[in-house]
């Protein structure tokens, strides 16, 4: 057990959560999650997708808290990728945890929306679908190769109202302002660590955690500059370490004119939540269905 994940990570998790919660996290790291996908209403409706899956002999389950989400029961990604409905953009392969931030952001038609670290485009295309392509979405991606993947996915998913900027969001001009911002920040990936046969398959280091936290802080401060006063943004990471989540958030909110908007939707009680030092934020633990994920909603004063 001791060798399964890097020693520094085990130490940080035990210190933050205690032995009992750590054991659950470790079990989550070892879980083999089913394929999950999102129906893309810009290209297909739920009924068409259900028929396509049933016709291919693929069983699925619904997700109570999101009508566009589906859990595939007996097929892996390559089988799904062979289906015409996938190739035509009618569905998008996406983890359940990754679907959460856009739901809490709740973009509306007619709004200007910034996605600060958009590639490969799962959340960007989700927001385009949620608004029926009626929001002005700006998707930022600093890496040229990743921006090409983003553009490909936007086109395939029919997200026609989205503009891609190949730019580091930290360098955006403060002249810009947006109604809503999604900052799904680059992180250490401590919520998505994968352990197979007792071996950690994910590269993670103490340096990566520290570097991620610095980048996240810069991005969050920039987001609060670009957000219109009185408007809301979502900050999320696929990390479960307080250094990248609650700790960082408390520090930035104190100095940057933002306030927490509590996430309290009734259905969040169905999620595998971890103990959290910042009430009103959402900290999902890794298990057999979910990756570890942190989500906070913030309003600019």
């Amino acid at each position: 057990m001791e060798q399964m994940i890097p020693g520094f990570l085990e130490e940080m998790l035990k210190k933050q959560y205690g032995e009992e919660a750590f054991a659950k996290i470790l079990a989550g790291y070892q879980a083999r999650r089913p394929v999950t996908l999102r129906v893309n209403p810009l290209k297909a409706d739920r009924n068409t997708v259900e028929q396509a899956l049933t016709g291919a002999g693929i069983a699925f389950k619904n997700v109570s808290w999101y009508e566009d989400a589906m859990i595939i029961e007996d097929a892996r990604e390559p089988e799904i990728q062979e289906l015409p409905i996938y190739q035509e953009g009618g569905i998008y392969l996406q983890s359940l945890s990754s679907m959460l931030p856009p739901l809490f952001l709740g973009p509306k038609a007619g709004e200007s929306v910034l996605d600060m670290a958009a590639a490969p485009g799962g959340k960007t295309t989700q927001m385009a679908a949620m608004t029926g392509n009626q929001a002005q979405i700006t998707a930022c991606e600093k890496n040229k190769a990743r921006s090409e993947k983003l553009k490909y996915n936007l086109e395939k998913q029919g997200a026609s109202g989205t503009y891609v900027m190949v730019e580091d969001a930290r360098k955006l001009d403060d002249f810009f302002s947006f109604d809503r911002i999604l900052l799904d920040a680059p992180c250490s990936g401590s919520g998505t660590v994968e352990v197979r046969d007792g071996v950690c398959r994910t590269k993670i280091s103490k340096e990566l955690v520290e570097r991620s936290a610095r980048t996240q802080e810069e991005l969050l401060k920039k987001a609060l500059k670009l957000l219109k006063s009185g408007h809301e943004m979502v900050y999320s990471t696929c990390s479960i370490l307080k250094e990248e989540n609650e700790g960082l958030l408390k520090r930035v909110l104190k100095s940057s004119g933002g306030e927490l908007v509590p996430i309290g939707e009734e259905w969040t009680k169905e999620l595998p939540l971890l103990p959290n030092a910042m009430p009103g934020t959402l900290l999902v633990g890794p298990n057999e269905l979910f990756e570890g994920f942190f989500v906070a909603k913030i309003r600019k004063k």
Side-chain angles (χ1 to χ4, degrees):
M1 186 191 248
E2 299 303 313
Q3 269 87 53
M4 278 193 193
I5 60 171
F8 88 90
L9 181 59
E10 181 173 333
E11 202 177 305
M12 288 175 94
L13 290 171
K14 282 181 176 175
K15 188 178 174 188
Q16 185 174 334
Y17 294 108
E19 293 283 348
E20 196 179 325
F22 170 73
K24 285 184 181 170
I25 291 167
L26 198 57
Y29 285 166
Q30 296 171 81
R32 188 163 163 79
R33 280 176 277 278
V35 174
T36 53
L37 58 82
R38 178 171 51 76
V39 176
N40 174 21
L42 297 174
K43 288 280 189 91
D45 59 31
R46 174 85 193 199
N47 197 34
T48 309
V49 172
E50 288 186 0
Q51 285 174 359
L53 292 172
T54 305
I58 294 171
F60 57 85
K61 281 196 296 199
N62 298 334
V63 174
S64 60
W65 46 269
Y66 189 22
E67 62 184 2
D68 285 342
M70 300 170 94
I71 299 165
I72 302 300
E73 297 204 272
D74 55 359
R76 302 310 295 172
E77 287 192 1
E79 292 164 72
I80 304 295
Q81 288 165 336
E82 285 172 12
L83 300 176
I85 193 101
Y86 171 84
Q87 291 165 6
E88 292 155 12
I91 56 178
Y92 189 91
L93 294 172
Q94 189 174 355
S95 76
L96 294 179
S97 297
S98 170
M99 298 179 199
L100 294 169
L103 293 180
F104 294 119
L105 185 64
K108 305 278 188 295
E111 291 182 328
S112 59
V113 181
L114 173 64
D115 189 345
M116 289 184 83
K123 299 175 190 67
T124 325
T125 53
Q126 185 180 348
M127 293 191 293
M130 286 168 73
T131 57
N133 268 341
Q134 297 301 304
Q136 291 81 51
I137 300 173
T138 301
C140 250
E141 177 51 53
K142 68 174 184 175
N143 181 290
K144 184 78 172 75
R146 283 171 61 82
S147 75
E148 292 304 322
K149 177 72 173 167
L150 171 62
K151 287 174 187 171
Y152 169 81
N153 280 328
L154 290 169
E155 194 172 323
K156 183 178 175 182
Q157 301 290 301
S160 57
T162 302
Y163 170 65
V164 174
M165 284 182 86
V166 186
E167 178 67 275
D168 184 333
R170 290 173 292 184
K171 294 177 181 169
L172 286 177
D173 197 309
D174 290 344
F175 168 78
F176 288 107
S177 69
F178 296 89
D179 295 315
R180 289 184 204 258
I181 295 177
L182 175 63
L183 171 52
D184 184 51
C187 72
S188 66
S190 64
T192 59
V193 169
E194 201 178 307
V195 175
R196 287 275 167 273
D197 306 317
V199 179
C200 183
R201 306 282 184 192
T202 309
K203 281 187 179 172
I204 182 168
S205 65
K206 202 161 197 277
E207 292 71 37
L208 178 61
V209 174
E210 289 164 1
R211 192 166 68 244
S212 297
R214 284 196 298 273
T215 303
Q216 290 152 357
E217 184 162 342
E218 289 167 7
L219 281 164
L220 184 51
K221 284 177 176 174
K222 172 59 81 171
L224 284 162
K225 280 183 181 170
L226 300 174
L227 187 64
K228 292 178 182 174
S229 295
H231 288 244
E232 293 174 355
M233 66 166 288
V234 159
Y235 172 81
S236 60
T237 72
C238 57
S239 176
I240 53 173
L241 295 170
K242 66 178 187 294
E243 287 79 2
E244 299 177 76
N245 298 329
E246 310 101 299
L248 178 140
L249 213 53
K250 281 177 183 168
R251 199 165 60 247
V252 174
L253 293 185
K254 198 179 272 187
S255 65
S256 298
E259 60 186 359
L260 206 60
V261 179
I263 292 172
E265 280 80 348
E266 193 61 31
W267 57 265
T268 58
K269 291 174 183 165
E270 297 174 39
L271 306 176
L273 301 178
L274 284 168
N276 180 348
M278 202 172 191
T281 61
L282 200 72
L283 188 55
V284 178
N287 74 352
E288 66 285 348
L289 271 182
F290 289 85
E291 296 174 326
F293 223 86
F294 176 81
V295 189
K297 196 170 185 179
I298 302 160
R299 183 185 295 116
K300 184 172 178 175
K301 292 177 189 174

